[in-house]
Amino acid sequence: MAAHQGCSCGMKRHLLWLRADLRSIDNSALHEACLDPSALVAAVWFITPEQWRRHDKAGVQLDLELRTLQKLSATLASLNIPLLIRTVPDFAAIPQHLLALCQAEAVDAVFWNRQYEWNERVRDKAASALLEQHGIARHAFHDQCLVKPGDVLTGDGCFYSVFTPFKKNWLQQIHRHGVEVLPAPAARPVAWTHADAVPDSVSGFVSHVAPERAAALWPAGEEAALARLEDFVEHHIRRYRDLRDIPSLTDATSRLSPYLAIGAISPRQCWQAALNEIQAYGPSADIDQWISELGWREFYKHILVGFPRVNKHLPFRMDTVNLRWNDDEAAFQRWCEGKTGFPIVDAAMRQLRETGWMHNRMRMVTAMFLTKDLFVDWRWGERFFMQHLVDGDLAANNGGWQWSASTGNDAAPYFRIFNPRLQSEKFDPEGVFIRRFVPELAGLDRKRIHEPHGKQRDFLLDYPLPMVDHRAACEFTVAQFKKLGELPVGRADNKADSFNV
Ligand SMILES: Cc1cc2nc3c(=O)[nH]c(=O)nc-3n(C[C@H](O)[C@H](O)[C@H](O)COP(=O)(O)OP(=O)(O)OC[C@H]3O[C@@H](n4cnc5c(N)ncnc54)[C@H](O)[C@@H]3O)c2cc1C
């Protein structure tokens, strides 16, 4: 532990380094930074444009973060915790900048909540080492998961690669240790410095969703996130299992993913709300299912830590590096634009482009279409999603893409390929979702809308013919996967790496 430098007034100065935890309630690092009632506390948030470009950060997500920070800054100011904003090119520049800030302001200790992505962990290790060299205390907390990565292990001490046993162990640990939601901290006696203005935008990051639409769809701040959670638990959670796969129903799922991704709400708050509902009105399979989805979120975060190669554009299943994906830029472009000629795929891709979000089943349908019908590399799709999702999150996005591409852990078997028409008929039987996002098909009846016939497309509608023959495409893809069996298998370690989590 470092020696405290102290300031002239004798009060300790604590710095909260905010990252993907943009909230005042149930924020472990903020809570700990404020435990000493006399400590003066400030917060800092780094703008890192070059790093974000490398990470394919979506403008629509940054827009939500900036609007959330503006609200958080006001909340923190009311507690005498000024929020500082600093711009550096990338993560590599942060340690020096953080040190300079601590030295200039006589900071005694820096507090942060851990992130589990590889580059973020490298950054934190470097920052921690530099601060330590200069005698500044560091306090890092596990705050992103209900159970931290490294605590849910198989009997052999390995990370799980299959979800069901992971979930069983994960739930046991939650029940054993309990979940505590931390209150917002008490106000500080005074603010030691002035807050910076939070910018409305960052050069080079334009949201592809119109500002008014983004603000209406994704209202900013922890209050908005909590209101959404409360509304979902009160009115919708008990029909979750029946309705969660219907993309036309906007309230059937919580739409909390953007808020969980930037940390405007915590998984503990979600868990607690679900538990309160069970305690008040009894258990329900729907609530269990929703909790299970929170489990998938954590499963993929644990995978990032246990299998670091998935952070580095490598597949989980190493034998699949031998797949020779189809580098068809033109086909990829049609998929991106929602012009494949498959109505359900096109509606979903246009939902992403218009709203910055896509329904979970539609993510599976579109990802499987790209990787199995077009046999285009899952990493192309993963990247496009990150560039457009308001909830972009490396762990969940990578996990979802590798599930769909059959390159991941506990993934869809390569021979079980979604048929877009059948998915459409099953989950959008009346064509409500398709009509909403593909207006050129709005006049078709409930039977034809899933697969307009050729003449309708050519003469009546400005809508393309299907870009592939689904059955032939599936045969080709299955054959590619079958060939893998004849090639040498790549490395597939199942041990935690040497990082101390
Ligand atoms: C190809 C693909 C890409 C994806 N990319 C992302 C992404 O970048 N960011 C992201 O948050 N989710 C991603 N998901 C997971 C899932 O689609 C979204 O989390 C979900 O649609 C969010 O809607 P919701 O908040 O209404 O979820 P709800 O159904 O209300 O679920 C509650 C929460 O559980 C978590 N969750 C639900 N399903 C999953 C899942 N399959 N995997 C991991 N976590 C889950 C989310 O945090 C979600 O907010 C992806 C899935 C696929 C198939």
Side-chain angles (χ1 to χ4, degrees):
M1 187 59 61
H4 289 297
Q5 296 167 333
C7 65
S8 53
C9 57
M11 288 166 164
K12 284 186 189 148
R13 287 188 173 196
H14 292 171
L15 184 67
L16 168 72
W17 177 8
L18 280 171
R19 304 99 74 88
D21 51 353
L22 306 185
R23 62 183 183 278
S24 65
I25 302 172
D26 198 35
N27 182 325
S28 302
L30 174 62
H31 181 80
E32 295 287 329
C34 295
L35 270 188
D36 173 351
S38 68
L40 303 186
V41 181
V44 63
W45 194 71
F46 285 98
I47 294 175
T48 54
E50 283 176 27
Q51 191 75 41
W52 291 345
R53 256 187 288 282
R54 274 179 247 149
H55 287 186
D56 295 309
K57 189 176 191 61
V60 64
Q61 183 175 66
L62 182 58
D63 172 63
L64 177 63
E65 275 175 312
L66 293 174
R67 289 186 287 116
T68 298
L69 276 163
Q70 287 167 354
K71 296 207 174 239
L72 182 58
S73 182
T75 305
L76 293 176
S78 71
L79 303 172
N80 279 330
I81 301 174
L83 173 62
L84 311 176
I85 305 287
R86 295 289 184 270
T87 302
V88 295
D90 56 15
F91 287 171
I94 289 183
Q96 270 302 339
H97 204 96
L98 195 58
L99 175 65
L101 175 62
C102 289
Q103 290 178 327
E105 298 288 346
V107 167
D108 298 282
V110 183
F111 295 70
W112 66 79
N113 292 314
R114 291 169 194 266
Q115 291 180 288
Y116 302 117
E117 297 85 354
W118 185 266
N119 291 336
E120 281 74 351
R121 286 160 62 193
V122 169
R123 172 202 64 195
D124 290 356
K125 246 188 141 190
S128 185
L130 191 66
L131 294 174
E132 185 179 20
Q133 270 172 32
H134 290 81
I136 297 163
R138 296 107 23 241
H139 304 280
F141 301 91
H142 290 281
D143 187 73
Q144 275 197 357
C145 292
L146 289 155
V147 186
K148 75 176 165 66
D151 275 6
V152 188
L153 298 175
T154 65
D156 300 339
C158 299
F159 278 74
Y160 284 95
S161 54
V162 178
F163 178 66
T164 306
F166 168 89
K167 187 178 108 178
K168 193 168 165 223
N169 189 332
W170 175 74
L171 283 172
Q172 279 168 352
Q173 303 223 28
I174 298 173
H175 288 300
R176 194 175 308 139
H177 302 298
V179 169
E180 188 191 359
V181 174
L182 302 165
R188 306 290 94 197
V190 286
W192 100 56
T193 184
H194 296 292
D196 296 320
V198 178
D200 291 326
S201 62
V202 173
S203 167
F205 293 86
V206 180
S207 169
H208 65 283
V209 181
E212 316 76 51
R213 186 146 195 212
L217 285 168
W218 314 113
E222 59 188 316
E223 272 183 29
L226 269 175
R228 192 164 277 200
L229 173 64
E230 277 163 22
D231 177 69
F232 175 71
V233 170
E234 197 174 324
H235 300 294
H236 307 287
I237 200 170
R238 283 181 186 269
R239 298 208 58 199
Y240 184 69
R241 279 207 324 173
D242 284 347
L243 303 182
R244 74 192 182 107
D245 274 321
I246 314 249
S248 58
L249 300 177
T250 42
D251 291 334
T253 69
S254 69
R255 286 168 303 125
L256 281 169
S257 51
Y259 303 98
L260 281 161
I262 67 169
I265 200 162
S266 75
R268 290 180 297 271
Q269 289 170 295
C270 295
W271 170 274
Q272 195 59 57
L275 196 69
N276 291 347
E277 172 71 19
I278 290 174
Q279 282 166 355
Y281 302 105
S284 113
D286 295 279
I287 301 181
D288 291 348
Q289 181 69 49
W290 192 65
I291 286 173
S292 190
E293 301 309 316
L294 294 176
W296 275 102
R297 174 183 173 275
E298 301 219 353
F299 179 55
Y300 287 136
K301 287 205 183 287
H302 289 222
I303 293 282
L304 276 192
V305 176
F307 305 89
R309 61 180 174 274
V310 303
N311 291 258
K312 300 171 184 175
H313 309 294
L314 285 171
F316 181 90
R317 258 186 65 185
M318 283 300 281
D319 59 331
T320 62
V321 292
N322 294 319
L323 286 168
R324 293 284 156 258
W325 298 102
N326 185 4
D327 291 340
D328 188 340
E329 299 267 3
F332 177 63
Q333 205 48 42
R334 283 184 68 174
W335 175 84
C336 294
E337 288 173 13
K339 292 187 178 161
T340 66
F342 290 82
I344 195 76
V345 174
D346 294 342
M349 292 307 294
R350 296 186 201 184
Q351 178 182 38
L352 175 61
R353 297 176 77 100
E354 287 176 34
T355 68
W357 188 85
M358 193 195 286
H359 185 276
N360 179 57
R361 176 142 298 267
M362 296 298 102
R363 294 188 207 211
M364 295 194 284
V365 167
T366 53
M368 208 172 263
F369 183 83
L370 185 74
T371 55
K372 304 290 174 50
D373 286 74
L374 304 183
F375 203 60
V376 166
D377 195 327
W378 56 273
R379 284 160 284 216
W380 291 22
E382 182 194 21
R383 186 159 187 233
F384 184 80
F385 267 32
M386 273 316 263
Q387 290 166 339
H388 292 82
L389 278 172
V390 65
D391 65 13
D393 170 79
L394 175 65
N397 196 38
N398 184 278
W401 273 95
Q402 295 220 48
W403 183 90
S404 310
S406 307
T407 62
N409 55 301
D410 210 354
Y414 68 82
F415 47 84
R416 208 166 289 155
I417 300 176
F418 287 174
N419 177 323
R421 181 177 51 79
L422 296 182
Q423 290 285 312
S424 188
E425 287 170 355
K426 186 164 180 197
F427 298 112
D428 190 28
E430 302 298 322
V432 177
F433 180 70
I434 294 175
R435 283 190 189 88
R436 191 176 301 155
F437 290 102
V438 189
E440 58 268 40
L441 302 184
L444 296 183
D445 65 34
R446 64 188 294 275
K447 267 192 115 177
R448 265 293 146 209
I449 194 156
H450 307 288
E451 194 176 46
H453 58 62
K455 278 187 192 141
Q456 275 175 324
R457 298 179 196 240
D458 275 353
F459 299 117
L460 294 175
L461 316 160
D462 184 18
Y463 189 68
L465 288 165
M467 65 186 290
V468 282
D469 176 80
H470 174 67
R471 184 191 279 247
C474 292
E475 281 169 13
F476 174 80
T477 296
V478 169
Q480 306 314 302
F481 272 90
K482 275 191 178 155
K483 274 194 233 162
L484 289 177
E486 297 149 22
L487 296 165
V489 179
R491 188 179 66 97
D493 62 54
N494 193 26
K495 294 272 184 227
D497 74 325
S498 59
F499 257 90
N500 178 15
V501 293

